[in-house]
Amino acid sequence: MEFEFDVVVVGSGAAGMTAALTAAYRGLSVTLIEKSRLFGGSTARSGGGIWVPNNPVLRDAGVPDSPTMARTYLKAVVGDRVPEAKQRAFLDNGPAMFDYLGARSRYWEFDYDRGYSDYHPEFPGGLAQGRSIEPKVIDGRLLGGDLHKINQPTMSAPKGIAITVSDFHDLNMIARTWAGKKTAMKVGARTALALARGALPLSLGKALAARLWLSLRDAGVPVWLNTPLTELITEGGAVVGIRAEHEGRPVAIKARRGVVLAAGGFEHNLEMRKQYIPGPQSTEWTVGAAENVGEGIVAGQKAGGAVDLMDDAWWGPSVRSPENRPPFFCLAERSQPGAILVNDLGERFVNESAPYVNVVHRMYEQQAAGVGCIPAHFIFDQNFRDRYLFLGNFPKRPLPQAYYDKGIVKQADTLAELAAELGIPADKLTATVERFNVFARAGRDEDFQRGDSAYDRYYGDPTVKPNPTLAPLERGPFYAVEMVPGDLGTKGGLVTDEHSRVLDEQGNPIAGLYAAGNNSAAVMGNDYAGAGATIGPAMVFGYIAANHLADDESGNRA
């Protein structure tokens, strides 16, 4: 069977849905294909944060940002790893994307996550109060029969409960602060009201995916689920369409203007991980969508596309599940006082509270230098366990036995006994903790400056003075938890220019081929600007691709 549209989009995450929606609003005929029976990809499974400086949500909230500040900050984060033209394209088009889609979609509603710091607020142009936003909670009943088609997050809340990014921050302190207790009551009241009304509130990434999906539905964009890409169709070096399987039948879809690849990274392809990423690898350590095995990247390579950043990912220290489930991606835990991260020598090696991608980079550096660090050992005492949520378990409650049975968690009455359980030098671990405890009592980490950054302090405990990220480890029993280099998805992909066009090895655009999201090499380079710096650029470059295709008024490939 053969079909024809102006634009074909591959992938139903934030990048793909934004590209398809923009193309439709620009008057192009467009179809979106998705290999899974579910839509939303890794976006639906994520926290749903969006990092786009100077967007209208930030402007309305009075955030003191400016284009100059944003350019200065992004340059400080990315450096020369990504061309300046691509950095500028992201920053210049981000606010325009929000204004354009916001004027056309009735589902375009977001909140500012005030206080969620940029990941490097101490860099020039960085903001300690942050630039991250998130979608408002939305009633899943609006999806009707499509509700069951949305990709599920790694940890689903019980029916009727919707927790936002801001809620999550406060709930981590439920045993420590009035803000935590008030937020718990607020969430409880919201849940009770939703149940009384028969509502099905969605938050985080599911809310974003739902809002984009509903907008596509309003715009009349056909979406074909269960339709994996098999190859790109090329003529004379130009991409003119795709071949795919639609519900088990081969189909060809011609694209008069071009194809946008937005099918995610390759995090679930172990062969590709081992080919491109040095060091220990596992597909069990990622929380990315299971469908992300890199076929979009491979298809682009076969069409002549170059790749970059293939050795990197959106990393984060994670704890393996004792069951057949994705790992627990540790956001807040590393900033909470009373815990440290050590290598096989029993020594600290990093600021535990640093942005998660940077912590894992340091884990791999240690491993490459011959120091066992994968897994690393997250060490804490009973005070920590009594005060903070951990692995989704409330304070003071014992950790599930399954973690002990699988050897993921170990426990001992003394540090020396814990070291013996781990097979690391007891004298080194004891000395490391003693040194750290001196710093903690003084409120100043002289080795790794933990707590100096506003980002470090965001998930800290405000009741702990003078440094909310530092407290001594002194009360047994002591715990050790394996932390592996988990990820939200891979960073590497097809090289694209400021118009989202895929480039060949000589830096020339391949006619008719565009890429966005984790199908493309990240505009963030090897670092991470702030919460939502995966989804924000994915949406912006999807928007850029659609506009470039629409601006080619002749119908010829740009």
Side-chain angles (χ1 to χ4, degrees):
M1 299 180 67
E2 186 168 304
F3 302 86
E4 188 170 12
F5 296 87
D6 291 327
V7 178
V8 179
V9 178
V10 183
S12 68
M17 287 198 280
T18 302
L21 188 60
T22 304
Y25 287 155
R26 290 295 308 272
L28 301 180
S29 65
V30 56
T31 190
L32 185 152
I33 70 165
E34 164 61 50
K35 70 182 290 188
S36 173
R37 63 181 179 82
L38 306 173
F39 72 88
S42 292
T43 296
R45 298 163 60 84
S46 74
I50 299 171
W51 195 86
V52 174
N54 294 297
N55 71 65
V57 181
L58 300 180
R59 294 199 302 265
D60 291 346
V63 177
D65 201 1
S66 72
T68 299
M69 286 176 63
R71 283 196 299 272
T72 301
Y73 177 64
L74 188 61
K75 180 68 173 178
V77 172
V78 176
D80 297 324
R81 190 63 183 81
V82 175
E84 188 170 340
K86 188 169 177 178
Q87 295 181 42
R88 282 182 172 269
F90 164 58
L91 296 174
D92 292 347
N93 284 274
M97 181 267 289
F98 266 89
D99 286 332
Y100 184 79
L101 298 185
R104 290 160 178 80
S105 169
R106 58 188 170 129
Y107 300 106
W108 205 250
E109 296 183 282
F110 299 86
D111 286 323
Y112 173 42
D113 292 324
R114 187 179 300 278
Y116 199 164
S117 171
D118 285 342
Y119 286 178
H120 301 283
E122 64 279 1
F123 286 5
L127 291 180
Q129 70 186 82
R131 293 176 164 102
S132 300
I133 66 172
E134 65 176 313
K136 287 181 179 290
V137 174
I138 188 170
D139 190 346
R141 292 179 299 177
L142 293 169
L143 290 165
D146 291 337
L147 178 60
H148 71 282
K149 298 177 184 177
I150 192 168
N151 212 319
Q152 295 301 306
T154 56
M155 294 186 66
S156 296
K159 183 179 178 181
I161 297 179
I163 296 173
T164 68
V165 170
S166 296
D167 294 336
F168 175 76
H169 170 263
D170 291 337
L171 288 172
N172 274 285
M173 292 293 122
I174 190 171
R176 302 290 289 167
T177 67
W178 281 110
K181 293 176 177 62
K182 286 173 63 178
T183 297
M185 290 188 286
K186 180 186 75 173
V187 171
R190 188 168 64 207
T191 301
L193 183 61
L195 291 173
R197 292 176 173 175
L200 298 170
L202 305 178
S203 62
L204 308 175
K206 289 177 74 171
L208 177 58
R211 289 182 179 281
L212 287 166
W213 181 267
L214 290 165
S215 301
L216 287 174
R217 202 164 70 181
D218 273 6
V221 175
V223 180
W224 298 0
L225 301 178
N226 292 302
T227 308
L229 170 73
T230 54
E231 65 177 345
L232 297 172
I233 302 173
T234 60
E235 292 179 2
V239 172
V240 297
I242 67 164
R243 298 190 197 281
E245 288 187 3
H246 180 53
E247 298 181 344
R249 295 179 300 171
V251 295
I253 309 176
K254 290 293 186 72
R256 288 184 287 268
R257 302 257 179 137
V259 172
V260 181
L261 295 174
F266 60 92
E267 55 265 26
H268 280 279
N269 186 324
L270 186 58
E271 290 185 6
M272 287 184 72
R273 292 186 76 110
K274 289 181 175 179
Q275 177 183 356
Y276 290 109
I277 306 176
Q281 295 297 319
S282 174
T283 56
E284 296 178 0
W285 299 344
T286 181
V287 297
E291 296 79 16
N292 292 346
V293 294
E295 67 265 52
I297 297 171
V298 172
Q301 287 178 291
K302 289 180 179 178
V307 294
D308 193 17
L309 290 167
M310 296 291 280
D311 59 346
D312 211 347
W314 303 98
W315 301 114
S318 302
V319 178
R320 292 185 296 121
S321 170
E323 303 162 347
N324 187 26
R325 294 171 58 88
F328 189 96
F329 194 93
C330 294
L331 284 175
E333 295 77 5
R334 296 172 294 105
S335 292
Q336 292 164 349
I340 58 173
L341 200 58
V342 302
N343 56 29
D344 282 352
L345 297 179
E347 298 173 339
R348 293 178 70 211
F349 58 92
V350 72
N351 168 9
E352 294 88 351
S353 303
Y356 32 93
V357 71
N358 303 116
V359 174
V360 173
H361 282 158
R362 185 63 181 144
M363 289 170 69
Y364 273 112
E365 289 168 7
Q366 289 261 297
Q367 193 77 16
V371 179
C373 206
I374 299 177
H377 312 288
F378 189 63
I379 311 292
F380 55 89
D381 70 352
Q382 190 60 42
N383 284 334
F384 181 94
R385 182 75 284 272
D386 287 348
R387 293 173 176 175
Y388 309 117
L389 292 166
F390 189 66
L391 303 179
N393 297 278
F394 280 96
K396 297 186 178 182
R397 297 189 63 181
L399 297 175
Q401 184 60 39
Y403 282 99
Y404 293 95
D405 294 342
K406 292 290 186 179
I408 299 167
V409 176
K410 299 183 187 298
Q411 180 180 332
D413 290 334
T414 68
L415 287 169
E417 292 170 333
L418 188 64
E421 289 272 343
L422 297 172
I424 64 178
D427 58 340
K428 286 285 188 69
L429 179 60
T430 301
T432 294
V433 171
E434 289 175 349
R435 180 175 175 83
F436 176 80
N437 286 351
V438 172
F439 297 157
R441 292 186 183 102
R444 170 68 180 165
D445 178 7
E446 296 182 11
D447 286 341
F448 297 102
Q449 294 72 54
R450 176 171 164 183
D452 285 7
S453 171
Y455 173 75
D456 296 359
R457 297 191 294 274
Y458 178 70
Y459 281 120
D461 183 344
T463 71
V464 173
K465 308 293 183 180
N467 188 326
T469 73
L470 299 180
L473 287 72
E474 54 191 0
R475 178 181 163 222
F478 297 90
Y479 301 80
V481 181
E482 281 187 1
M483 280 200 175
V484 297
D487 64 73
L488 303 169
T490 47
K491 267 195 179 189
L494 298 163
V495 177
T496 57
D497 65 7
E498 65 272 24
H499 304 298
S500 296
R501 297 179 297 185
V502 175
L503 306 180
D504 64 19
E505 294 289 352
Q506 289 71 47
N508 300 312
I510 297 172
L513 186 59
Y514 297 72
N518 288 349
N519 251 175
S520 61
V523 72
M524 293 294 152
N526 295 115
D527 213 321
Y528 217 139
T534 307
I535 292 177
M539 296 174 72
V540 173
F541 283 106
Y543 169 80
I544 289 172
N547 276 320
H548 195 262
L549 285 160
D551 288 341
D552 178 27
E553 296 179 359
S554 67
N556 297 318
R557 260 162 276 283

